[in-house]
């Protein structure tokens, strides 16, 4: 249970940091488009993880955790585009990129384990 609560807190902090990042984005066409995209995917990691924690069945959990994995991976892409386009490139965004990669790995592993455990029981 502690690991779940830790991950809930971690994804919430990630979402809050994404909000801070978007506030720092330039107020131009590129900044607004990239900001809107990363705001959606980055904050949905926390929201969808909470939803996965309330899954009604193993199949529901697998479905929901897959969405979390996809949103975390999408956020990684937006972070890379922001950095590589030189829209923003600082230590804060590099830290977020590292965290996004780690969260993607955690949720990928969690989904894989859940699928394997679900298959073994059938």
């Amino acid at each position: 249970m502690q690991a779940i609560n830790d991950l809930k807190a971690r994804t919430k902090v990630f979402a809050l940091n994404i909000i801070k990042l978007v506030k720092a984005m330039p107020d131009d066409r590129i900044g607004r488009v990239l900001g809107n995209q990363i705001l959606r995917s980055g904050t949905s990691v926390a929201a969808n993880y909470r939803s996965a924690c309330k899954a009604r069945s193993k199949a529901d959990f697998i479905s929901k955790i897959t969405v979390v994995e996809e949103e975390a991976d999408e956020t990684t892409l937006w972070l890379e585009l922001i950095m590589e386009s030189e829209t923003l490139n600082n230590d804060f965004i590099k830290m977020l990129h590292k965290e996004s990669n780690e969260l993607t790995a955690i949720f990928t592993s969690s989904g894989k384990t859940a699928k394997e455990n679900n298959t073994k029981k059938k």
Side-chain angles (χ1 to χ4, degrees):
M1 191 59 121
Q2 183 62 37
I4 291 171
N5 288 333
D6 290 348
L7 208 44
K8 279 184 180 179
R10 185 172 174 178
T11 57
K12 183 177 178 182
V13 168
F14 181 71
L16 288 168
N17 282 330
I18 291 293
I19 292 167
K20 290 176 187 173
L21 172 74
V22 172
K23 285 181 177 181
M25 294 285 285
D27 189 20
D28 60 17
R29 184 174 176 200
I30 293 169
R32 285 189 297 276
V33 169
L34 292 174
N36 286 337
Q37 292 287 10
I38 198 165
L39 185 62
R40 284 186 190 97
S41 66
T43 56
S44 74
V45 172
N48 283 300
Y49 179 66
R50 284 182 177 237
S51 179
C53 291
K54 298 288 186 182
R56 287 173 254 140
S57 66
K58 289 192 188 313
D60 190 31
F61 175 80
I62 291 166
S63 174
K64 289 178 179 191
I65 207 72
T66 301
V67 172
V68 180
E69 174 192 348
E70 291 168 356
E71 294 294 334
D73 187 55
E74 180 182 335
T75 302
T76 302
L77 169 68
W78 295 121
L79 288 164
E80 290 168 355
L81 290 173
I82 291 166
M83 289 186 296
E84 292 173 25
S85 68
E86 298 180 358
T87 302
L88 276 182
N89 200 353
N90 55 36
D91 289 342
F92 183 64
I93 196 167
K94 289 174 186 168
M95 178 275 298
L96 281 175
H97 184 255
K98 180 178 184 287
E99 179 68 354
S100 187
N101 277 318
E102 288 178 12
L103 289 171
T104 300
I106 289 166
F107 295 123
T108 299
S109 177
S110 181
K112 185 177 178 183
T113 300
K115 287 173 193 168
E116 288 170 356
N117 289 342
N118 201 37
T119 303
K120 288 177 186 175
K121 291 183 179 180
K122 288 185 177 180

